[in-house]
Amino acid sequence: MTSLIILLIIAGVCGSIGRALGGGSRGGCLVSIALGFIGAIVGMWLARALDLPKVFVGTSTDFPIVWSIIGSALFVAVLRFISGRNA
């Protein structure tokens, strides 16, 4: 149970940093957590496609922190570009 809470906190922080970098402003804590998980998926896919290593991984959860931030920033930027407004 503790590791799940830590995972949610890390995903929320990564999602909020990615949202700030990508230019999005809408949403709260749950949106940041979802963006953190989506960013981890997008970021790890991008890292595997470009054959890049895991840069910084959460110690107890094995969560790709850097790739989550990069992936969520890219995801928010693409959503913002497609919709033409803040996502």
Side-chain angles (χ1 to χ4, degrees), residues 48-72:
R48 280 191 214 111
L50 297 175
D51 198 29
L52 299 171
K54 289 183 179 179
V55 179
F56 182 68
V57 178
T59 56
S60 65
T61 58
D62 198 34
F63 190 79
I65 294 173
V66 172
W67 296 121
S68 175
I69 293 171
I70 292 171
S72 57

Side-chain angles (χ1 to χ4, degrees), residues 22-48:
S25 62
R26 291 188 180 168
C29 185
L30 292 178
V31 173
S32 293
I33 291 171
L35 277 175
F37 284 119
I38 292 170
I41 293 168
V42 170
M44 286 305 297
W45 173 79
L46 185 64
R48 280 191 214 111

